[in-house]
Structure formats: structure tokens, C-alpha cells
Amino acid sequence: MATLCIGDSHVKRLKLHLSAYRSSSSAYNIAGLCPVYYFGISGGLVSCDRHLELLSTAVRRHNPHHLIVSLGGNDLDDNESDWSAECVVSKLVSFLTLLRTRYTLKTVTVLSYFPRLRTRSISPEIYKLRVIETNNLLQHWCINHHLTVWRLRGFTESKHEVLCDGVHLNHYGYYKLIRQLRGILLRHHRISQ
């Protein structure tokens, strides 16, 4: 029962970070873990239909039982579009509900967002407020659509720097993310047995 992680550049960089490991079992230290695949798009957007098509194609190609999603953070960092937090969450949840139904996924887990220190078109303070609003909406919408939200913990209150450029995770940040993903994958592993 494979798991597929899809999303933005965080997922793309995670795949590169884990490429040194021979298997998903050794990467996450879970004996007998089924394969974990990754498909990320640099600059991935919920608001871009082409990106959603590429993610949907990755799900069809890998045919996973479980899906982990990290997508929408780039949409929150846009001052020129009309994409409010509610629009981002609504489109993301609709897309994931469609994937769950179309590909008969056992679980769909959405990772919460964490603030950036650097942004493209809005101030980091406004981005932080959008993250808080979006995480709250995401929690509510996902419960109503039978999706799971995994609240990423330990990133904003970390004693160590977790971002390499104000946006993307550094080695310590990926260490923390891998620990979070391990919790999700342990749950998938138990479901599979």
C-alpha cells in the first residue's frame, strides 16, 4: 500500500533530500514500510489548473493508497490575485476530494502551512496572518470533507533555523519534516497490516 507525497517545491526538495536512502523503510526508520513516492512542482499553485493536472497525473501513475499533500503556500504569497485564504482552501479541498473519489484513496492527509521569513509580494507579517487564517479554515473544511489535516509543529518555535532562504527548508527543517511525516506513515503502515 504505497503512499504518494504531492505538492510544491517542499515536496520536490524532500525527494532530493531523501535520495541518499535506499528505501522508504530506512528513510523513515519503519521496518517493512511500503514505498513512498514524491512528486513536487517548483512554485506549485492551487490556483493553476495546469499544476493540478500534473499532480492528478502523478496520482494516476503511482496509484497510491495514501496521499500526503503540501500545496497552497505559494497562493497565499500573492497580492495581485483575488485568491483569499477561503478560495485557496476551497479549491484545494475540492481537488483532493475529487482525487480521493476518482482513485479510491484510503487516506488523504494535508500538511498545514508554516510562515515564511521572505515573501514575494506581501509582507511576512501579512503572510503569517494568512497562514493562521488558512490553517484554521483548512481544519474546518477538511473535517467536513473527510480529509485529514496534519498540523506541522516545531517549525515556528524552533531553537534552530529551519529555513535556508526564508522560504524553503534547510537540512534541520527537513529533519523536522521527516519526523512529522514519520507519524503519518506509521499510521498508514498500521492501516496496511
Side-chain angles (χ1 to χ4, degrees):
M1 291 198 175
T3 297
L4 173 64
C5 294
I6 61 170
D8 54 25
S9 57
H10 291 298
V11 176
K12 188 173 185 177
R13 288 170 173 244
L14 175 64
K15 180 180 180 179
L16 291 172
H17 186 77
L18 292 173
S19 63
Y21 293 94
R22 279 186 250 128
S23 69
S24 301
S25 292
S26 61
Y28 294 100
N29 195 23
I30 302 171
L33 179 66
C34 292
V36 180
Y37 303 104
Y38 307 88
F39 182 79
I41 301 169
S42 294
L45 295 165
V46 172
S47 57
C48 178
D49 289 336
R50 177 71 182 131
H51 290 175
L52 298 183
E53 287 173 26
L54 290 169
L55 295 170
S56 184
T57 300
V59 175
R60 185 178 69 243
R61 184 181 40 207
H62 290 287
N63 194 27
H65 291 88
H66 307 285
L67 189 65
I68 300 172
V69 182
S70 173
L71 187 66
N74 294 319
D75 294 281
L76 300 178
D77 187 11
D78 190 356
N79 205 24
E80 296 177 14
S81 75
D82 293 332
W83 281 81
S84 66
E86 189 164 354
C87 288
V88 172
V89 170
S90 172
K91 184 145 185 187
L92 179 62
V93 168
S94 296
F95 172 65
L96 296 178
T97 302
L98 176 69
L99 288 181
R100 188 189 67 220
T101 304
R102 181 179 290 163
Y103 300 108
T104 58
L105 298 166
K106 290 192 178 299
T107 63
V108 177
T109 304
V110 185
L111 302 181
S112 66
Y113 305 105
F114 53 87
R116 299 175 175 183
L117 301 177
R118 246 183 67 222
T119 52
R120 292 184 310 256
S121 60
I122 62 174
S123 74
E125 291 77 26
I126 291 174
Y127 186 83
K128 183 178 181 179
L129 292 174
R130 284 186 178 180
V131 164
I132 292 168
E133 178 186 8
T134 305
N135 282 336
N136 289 335
L137 286 169
L138 193 62
Q139 187 75 40
H140 176 72
W141 279 59
C142 284
I143 287 170
N144 290 337
H145 291 84
H146 309 290
L147 306 171
T148 303
V149 174
W150 188 273
R151 286 217 176 245
L152 294 174
R153 290 174 173 72
F155 287 88
T156 54
E157 62 275 359
S158 176
K159 295 177 185 173
H160 303 286
E161 182 61 47
V162 296
L163 301 173
C164 62
D165 58 3
V167 176
H168 300 102
L169 298 171
N170 60 19
H171 287 294
Y172 186 71
Y174 277 112
Y175 168 76
K176 292 181 87 60
L177 180 60
I178 289 166
R179 288 185 53 143
Q180 299 280 321
L181 292 176
R182 184 176 190 276
I184 298 169
L185 294 169
L186 275 170
R187 212 176 56 206
H188 296 174
H189 187 61
R190 289 185 194 115
I191 290 170
S192 300
Q193 293 186 342

